[in-house]
Amino acid sequence: MVRLLDGGMGQELRRRAVGPTDSLIFSARALIETPHAVQSVHEDYLRAGADVITAHTYVTNRWRLRQEKLDDDWARINAIACDLADAAREAVNPGALVAGSVPPLRQAYQADFVPTATLDAEYAEHVLLLAPRVDFFLCETLSTSTEAIAAARAVASVDRRAWISFTLEEEGPPRLRGGEPLAVAVAAIAGAGPLPVDAILVNCTTPEAVGFAVAELAALELPVPYGGYANGFGPVPGDFGLTSGVSDLVERNDLDPDTYASHVARWMANGATIVGGCCQIGPPHIARLRELIDQP
């Protein structure tokens, strides 16, 4: 059985003209200023056929909220994110699952900024708050195995399950943005002792890079499911988040729903059983993937 994830939230809100285009954290403000828009995106993904929607908690850890002076509302904003996902599920498909997003704790893609000294404590706090409100955790867009292990340990502390998803460089053999080969990162998780990891995924990179990574995951003969969810951007600049931002990313014009589905079909042919979309991949793409998965 192939499970279908949803697509991106932040870029879909931008597409719907919700929030400023020059702020990386605008979609966190959307949770308190235009919550109906966030719930509407969730509902559209469910109507498109997603089996799993991800609560909009990627942008709600304390560090990110502090950038907008919202960290005093940390608990309330996270509760809103989970409540909106749950309300969407009840409105459209009560059988769907809600994942809690566990993101990088600092700037995405920048492994040098991983807060090693406080990693365990920060992930534990994030996961503890969300645990009563989600079905499982999607630890996503991670650039290092160190993050993945810390996030999985946090999930273990609340007796829940985790899917681990790494973001990869777009060029060359599959390797994390922090430099580790994908196979090395997967081995590090396996060697870290018993962890509640139920899937290994790759995300927030090009469909082509996901394809190479899925082929490598297939060769590793993992004991858990694997898959991926790509973004719709061209290559991400190495200084993303430092001197460049979302406005500097180039949206590809060659990833319409049919073309994206053709990439995903190749992942599935290599054994991927969890697929979906990341930034720039919207409800029409997910609807096309639903057709792909359900075709005889």
Side-chain angles (χ1 to χ4, degrees), residues 8-9 12-13 16 36-45:
M9 173 62 76
E12 186 63 22
L13 290 172
R16 300 180 188 202
H36 61 280
V38 176
Q39 182 172 335
S40 177
V41 173
H42 284 314
E43 290 183 1
D44 285 350
Y45 282 127

Side-chain angles (χ1 to χ4, degrees), residues 42-258:
H42 284 314
E43 290 183 1
D44 285 350
Y45 282 127
L46 288 167
R47 292 189 186 97
D51 300 308
V52 179
I53 56 172
T54 303
H56 192 38
T57 57
Y58 182 91
V59 292
T60 60
N61 65 44
R62 285 194 188 273
W63 180 83
R64 288 178 179 272
L65 293 179
R66 194 172 298 129
Q67 314 311 304
E68 291 284 308
K69 298 181 172 58
L70 291 172
D71 49 315
D72 286 345
D73 286 330
W74 169 73
R76 181 172 73 93
I77 290 172
N78 276 281
I80 291 170
C82 294
D83 288 346
L84 291 173
D86 189 57
R89 169 171 60 181
E90 291 306 308
V92 180
N93 178 9
L97 297 178
V98 173
S101 177
V102 180
L105 293 175
R106 297 295 184 267
Q107 181 56 53
Y109 309 148
Q110 299 297 336
D112 290 345
F113 290 85
V114 173
T116 306
T118 60
L119 200 59
D120 289 330
E122 291 188 54
Y123 272 138
E125 180 185 54
H126 186 81
V127 164
L128 181 63
L129 180 67
L130 300 183
R133 297 174 174 271
V134 300
D135 296 307
F136 69 98
F137 288 95
L138 179 57
C139 307
E140 58 181 339
T141 323
L142 305 179
S143 297
T144 68
S145 62
T146 300
E147 293 170 282
I149 292 167
R153 284 175 176 159
V155 173
S157 73
V158 294
D159 195 27
R160 304 300 285 276
R161 309 300 297 179
W163 293 0
I164 299 295
S165 190
F166 293 112
T167 181
L168 306 179
E169 297 285 359
E170 285 92 357
E171 301 294 335
R175 70 183 190 281
L176 280 55
R177 293 191 191 270
E180 292 170 273
L182 176 60
V184 171
V186 171
I189 293 172
L195 292 173
V197 175
D198 281 352
I200 298 291
L201 309 171
V202 293
N203 79 294
C204 214
T205 188
T206 64
E208 293 84 357
V210 173
F212 287 120
V214 166
E216 182 157 305
L217 292 174
L220 294 177
E221 298 183 349
L222 300 174
V224 295
Y226 57 89
Y229 49 115
N231 66 32
F233 291 126
V236 176
D239 63 353
F240 180 82
L242 304 178
T243 60
S244 65
V246 173
S247 61
D248 298 301
L249 298 178
V250 177
E251 180 179 359
R252 291 173 56 168
N253 59 13
D254 62 340
L255 287 177
D256 59 84
D258 284 337

